[in-house]
Amino acid sequence: MAPALAGLVPDGLRRGSTVAVRGSTALVLALLAEAMREGSWAAITGMPEVGLVAAAELGVDLDRLALIPAPGAEVAAVLSALIDGFDLVVLGPAVARGIEPQLARRLAGRVRNRGAVLLAAGQWPGAELELSVSSRRWRGLTGDGFGHLEFRDVVATSRGRGAAARPRTVALRLPGPDGAVAAVEASADRRLTEVAG
């Protein structure tokens, strides 16, 4: 993981795991970018609105990304095929919400067997790691609303099972000034944490 995300997911995305990411498509894309830097292939399904320019700015390698706007009526078969063929599979919120718990368990077993990573943009029954984003604040505008959006400060929290049972909270720039994820400096981190409560 990049230093900015290491505090949130210190062991990185473990093969065979299921991860739920609530509240931030940008965080999903930043996690994909980290894995793709190491040569992984990824597929996104059920997120027809995902911005490819934003994904590329966050570091996603578009040459190793498959987009399936909607899995259709055969959700189980499509997801099984994606898990078999890709290192990372991202499910959009509507797809993740529509998965029955029994199918979720079967898919999680397939993810473990194949050594893939399933990232659900939203809730996922039995996720090993849950990430959420709060306290979003865009920077770059003046008090009267003029200027250009430069970056967004967020507070990201992770909690899960096993080694991830203790919640971790980090302040991030998502996206940062250059489009990629960045850590927030200590003084800005303190102010952001105070705002988050």
Side-chain angles (χ1 to χ4, degrees):
M1 283 286 139
L5 293 174
L8 188 63
V9 188
D11 297 330
L13 295 175
R14 286 186 314 102
R15 288 191 171 273
S17 65
T18 54
V19 180
V21 181
R22 292 182 293 119
S24 179
T25 300
L27 182 56
V28 170
L29 295 174
L31 291 168
L32 274 185
E34 286 301 309
M36 294 178 94
R37 275 195 236 324
E38 300 298 319
S40 294
W41 287 73
I44 299 175
T45 186
M47 294 179 75
E49 72 285 353
V50 72
L52 295 180
V53 172
E57 286 178 355
L58 283 164
V60 172
D61 183 349
L62 300 181
D63 290 334
R64 289 191 314 237
L65 178 67
L67 297 174
I68 300 90
E74 297 295 324
V75 175
V78 170
L79 295 180
S80 295
L82 293 175
I83 291 166
D84 289 351
F86 291 89
D87 301 308
L88 296 109
V89 177
V90 177
L91 305 181
V95 174
R97 250 190 327 270
I99 300 291
E100 297 290 326
Q102 181 179 0
L103 177 56
R105 285 191 297 274
R106 280 193 0 242
L107 291 172
R110 190 175 202 106
V111 166
R112 276 191 302 278
N113 289 338
R114 300 288 190 245
V117 175
L118 179 76
L119 290 169
Q123 295 292 95
W124 184 261
E128 294 167 38
L129 182 64
E130 293 183 3
L131 307 174
S132 61
V133 171
S134 61
S135 302
R136 298 166 190 87
R137 184 171 180 184
W138 280 100
R139 304 293 182 152
L141 298 179
T142 62
D144 55 358
F146 289 97
H148 298 280
L149 297 176
E150 295 174 10
F151 57 88
R152 183 176 65 164
D153 287 332
V154 301
V155 174
T157 304
S158 68
R159 61 177 49 94
R161 299 186 295 206
R166 194 172 129 244
R168 297 174 183 270
T169 301
V170 297
L172 300 172
R173 294 226 158 108
L174 188 60
D178 65 351
V181 64
V184 175
E185 300 87 39
S187 61
D189 182 17
R190 192 168 32 260
R191 285 194 312 269
L192 194 58
T193 304
E194 288 170 5
V195 169

